[in-house]
Amino acid sequence: MDTTERNIEFRVALLKDFDECWQLINKARQQMIKSGLHQWTEGYPSEEDILNDINNGVAHVITFGGKIAVYGAVILNGEPKYDYIMGKWQTESNYYAVHRLATHPNFLREGLARTYIKQVEGLCEVERIPSIKVDTHLKNIKMIRLLSSMGFCYCGTIDYGPRGKRVAFEYVTMNTTEL
């Protein structure tokens, strides 16, 4: 697919998008489970998680040719577990956490996850948020490679209890002395 031929839009997901968002997440979740990667489970993320993201205004999507191609939750200071990192964040101020980032299987290898993160970086610049923080499963090599290639720095691990430990990354979008 040639991305130059299709209209790509980054926007907040609306309630009318729920079914399409849930189908995307569910397909990605099932694919992750099938591959043996235990970052997502039969119970997480759930329909309720996605509905809450949408209702709270934190669900963001990339549409590609009118179809939802990428889903993620972009949450301001939105991960309490990040306060207990085993390691050290680069910044101690406001951040956007990106959770539940998934690309629809039909749109893999189009660079849309990279585009999504770049759009979150743009939100940071407009809203003067100094960083983006993301955690992922140690075996989620695709996500780790993506984050590393985009300048995210490894900062430590986050313990989600029964859901396991995750590796944590941060990308500093601006110097906190500029705020």
Side-chain angles (χ1 to χ4, degrees):
M1 233 177 280
D2 182 5
T3 58
T4 60
E5 295 178 15
R6 304 250 180 147
N7 185 28
I8 297 173
E9 179 185 16
F10 176 77
R11 64 174 175 80
V12 172
L14 305 172
L15 197 51
K16 70 181 177 95
D17 299 318
F18 171 75
D19 287 338
E20 198 173 352
C21 290
W22 171 244
Q23 287 174 18
L24 183 157
I25 287 292
N26 196 38
K27 283 181 184 183
R29 184 171 58 93
Q30 292 302 325
Q31 190 173 36
M32 193 177 285
I33 291 168
K34 185 178 176 182
S35 74
L37 183 58
H38 300 289
Q39 181 168 344
W40 290 0
T41 65
E42 288 296 336
Y44 178 83
S46 68
E47 289 178 88
E48 184 178 346
D49 292 322
I50 305 312
L51 189 57
N52 286 339
D53 289 347
I54 292 170
N55 286 332
N56 291 326
V58 299
H60 288 71
V61 296
I62 283 187
T63 59
F64 187 66
K67 302 282 186 196
I68 294 177
V70 182
Y71 174 92
V74 181
I75 307 167
L76 181 63
N77 301 326
E79 183 48 67
K81 295 281 188 186
Y82 286 3
D83 292 343
Y84 305 100
I85 188 170
M86 290 171 265
K88 183 163 176 43
W89 294 112
Q90 294 179 301
T91 68
E92 297 298 327
S93 55
N94 291 332
Y95 64 91
Y96 270 126
V98 176
H99 283 308
R100 296 178 281 288
L101 182 63
T103 301
H104 191 286
N106 292 348
F107 297 99
L108 292 173
R109 294 182 261 304
E110 297 292 334
L112 295 175
R114 179 178 299 278
T115 299
Y116 188 99
I117 292 172
K118 284 295 205 184
Q119 292 295 319
V120 174
E121 183 181 347
L123 286 177
C124 289
E125 290 171 9
V126 168
E127 298 175 18
R128 304 191 54 76
I129 305 298
S131 76
I132 303 168
K133 296 179 180 178
V134 180
D135 67 83
T136 193
H137 194 282
L138 180 62
K139 293 182 181 177
N140 192 339
I141 302 304
K142 290 178 188 176
M143 186 64 161
I144 292 170
R145 282 185 185 150
L146 173 66
L147 296 171
S148 296
S149 75
M150 294 186 74
F152 280 74
C153 292
Y154 170 79
C155 294
T157 58
I158 306 295
D159 189 347
Y160 282 99
R163 287 188 37 227
K165 291 184 179 175
R166 305 289 185 254
V167 289
F169 294 84
E170 183 175 21
Y171 179 79
V172 177
T173 61
M174 66 177 51
N175 187 326
T176 54
T177 60
E178 298 173 8
L179 298 176

